[in-house]
Amino acid sequence: MKFFLDTANLEEIKKIKSIGMMNGVTTNPSLIAKENIFNKNEIDAHYISICKLLNNEENLSAEVISTEYEDIINEGIKLSLLSPKIVIKVPMTINGIKSIKFFSKKKIRTNCTLVFSLGQAILVAKSGADYVSPFLGRLDDLSFNGLQLIKEIKEIYDNFKFKTKILAASIRNPIHIIECAKIGIDAITTPINVIYSLFNHPMTNIGLDKFLKDYRKKIK
Ligand code: E4P
C-alpha cells in the first residue's frame, strides 16, 4: 500500500521522506495556494523542487487549473515536461475525462481527482487514467459513507481488471487508512498529521517510559 503525502509544503515532504513513509506527493490548487508562491513560474519551480525530493519510483500529482479541453491538454503537457515524475491531476469532468484519454494515448500519466461516485469511478477507469482519487473525508462530512465507496470501486475494478489504481484521498484520520488497507486498495494520500497519528498509542509511551525507568534505576 503506497503512502502519498497530501501537501505542497517542502518541509513536510522532507520530514515524512526522512522516516521512509512516503511513496509520493499529491497537491491541489488549494494546497499550492497555502505556500509562499505568487505566480505560474514560481509554481513550476516549486513543482521541480518537490520532484527533486522524490526518487524515480515516487511521483508528484500536479493539478491543472484549466477547465476547457484544449487548455487542459496544453497545461498538462507543460506540467509533464517539468519532470518525468509528474502525474497530471485532472478533475472529473467531461473535458477532464476527454483529456485523460488524450494523455493516456501519449503515455502521460494521470490522476483523476474529485471523484465522489461509482459512476464517475467507472468513467475514470475506462478513460485509462493511472489513478482515481475518490474523496473519502468530504463524503463522510456530508454523511455519505466514503469507505463504502472505496470498497465498491475496488469490487468493480477487480471485476474488470481495470489497471487504474485507487488512491484514496481526503483522508481525515488513521481509521480511514486502516480501513483502506483492509479493503486492499493501492494507495492513500494523507495530510502529515494523520501519518503521525498512525504512530501513536498511549501504551507504547507508558511501556517505553517504564522500560527506561527500570533500566536506569539499576544500570549506570
Ligand atoms: C486529493 O488528492 C486532494 O488533494 C485531497 O486529498 C483533498 O483533501 P481534503 O478534503 O482534506 O481537502
Side-chain angles (χ1 to χ4, degrees), residues 63 72 89-98 100 111-125 127 132-133:
E63 187 162 341
I72 297 175
K89 204 171 178 190
V90 181
M92 170 59 229
T93 60
I94 292 178
N95 287 336
I97 290 293
K98 264 175 74 180
I100 290 171
N111 173 358
C112 188
T113 188
L114 291 165
V115 169
F116 292 90
S117 75
L118 288 175
Q120 291 178 329
I122 293 169
L123 295 171
V124 174
S127 70
V132 61
S133 289

Side-chain angles (χ1 to χ4, degrees), residues 6 26-28 31 89 113 133 135 138 169-172 189:
D6 204 22
T26 60
T27 59
N28 64 42
L31 292 171
K89 204 171 178 190
T113 188
S133 289
F135 275 41
R138 291 193 197 186
S170 188
I171 296 279
R172 299 271 194 269
T189 184

